[in-house]
Amino acid sequence: MNNKTFTHIVILLFFLADLSAFGQSLMPANIFTDHMVLQRDKIVPIWGKASPKEKIKVEFAGQIKTTRAGADGKWIVRLDPLVASAVGRDMSISGKSEVLIKDILVGEVWICSGQSNMFMSPARYLKLEVWFHWLKICVALM
C-alpha cells in the first residue's frame, strides 16, 4: 500500500467517524450512566448535548421535564427532589433519538477523593476491627 492510498483511507475513516457522531446527536453528559445513584431530596440537574434548538424530554420516577437545546446544542433540565429508592429505575432522554439509562437508584451520593484511608482495602478494615475488639476486651479487664 502506498502513502497516497493510506492517506485516503485515514481521511475516509475520520470522515466516517464524524458522520457516526453526527447521526447520534442526542447525548447526556458522560456522568450519566447505567447503575448510577442520584442524590435524594435535592433538585437534580440532568444535562447534555443535542442538535441546536432540538426539543429534549427527560422522563424519570414519574417526572417529565422538557427543554430545548441552545444554539450551541447544550441543554439542561432539573428534576424535582426525589425520594430515596432501593429499586433501580430507567431514565429516558429523548429528542430526535432516544437514550435509555438503566438501573438508576436514588439515595445518598458521597464523593470521596484524596483521603489516605481510601487506599485501605475492606479486608484490612476487618482486621483492624477485630484488633480494636480485642483491645477493648483487654482494657476492660485492666
Side-chain angles (χ1 to χ4, degrees):
M1 179 183 314
N2 64 29
N3 281 342
K4 190 174 183 180
T5 305
F6 180 75
T7 303
H8 286 137
I9 290 173
V10 170
I11 291 171
L12 179 63
L13 289 175
F14 278 119
F15 179 72
L16 291 175
D18 191 42
L19 281 180
S20 66
F22 183 76
Q24 187 179 6
S25 61
L26 177 62
M27 284 184 17
N30 290 338
I31 194 170
F32 301 110
T33 63
D34 292 346
H35 318 295
M36 70 177 173
V37 179
L38 296 176
Q39 179 63 48
R40 70 181 178 99
D41 301 331
K42 300 282 184 187
I43 293 173
V44 179
I46 308 293
W47 69 92
K49 289 192 125 190
S51 298
K53 307 294 182 187
E54 182 175 349
K55 186 174 180 182
I56 307 298
K57 179 170 73 169
V58 176
E59 296 180 61
F60 181 71
Q63 295 186 40
I64 299 173
K65 300 291 182 175
T66 60
T67 190
R68 198 169 283 281
D72 59 358
K74 293 179 182 178
W75 57 268
I76 187 169
V77 298
R78 290 171 178 78
L79 297 175
D80 297 330
L82 300 161
V83 177
S85 171
V87 177
R89 293 176 279 190
D90 296 345
M91 177 184 293
S92 169
I93 304 172
S94 58
K96 293 177 185 173
S97 59
E98 182 176 7
V99 175
L100 187 64
I101 303 172
K102 299 177 185 174
D103 190 34
I104 300 171
L105 297 178
V106 177
E108 289 297 321
V109 177
W110 294 76
I111 299 175
C112 304
S113 69
Q115 297 177 4
S116 60
N117 63 351
M118 290 179 62
F119 182 71
M120 291 179 64
S121 68
R124 285 187 63 193
Y125 278 111
L126 290 176
K127 289 178 186 174
L128 283 175
E129 199 172 299
V130 170
W131 188 83
F132 282 125
H133 175 71
W134 284 109
L135 183 63
K136 286 179 194 175
I137 291 173
C138 291
V139 169
L141 292 175
M142 294 179 144

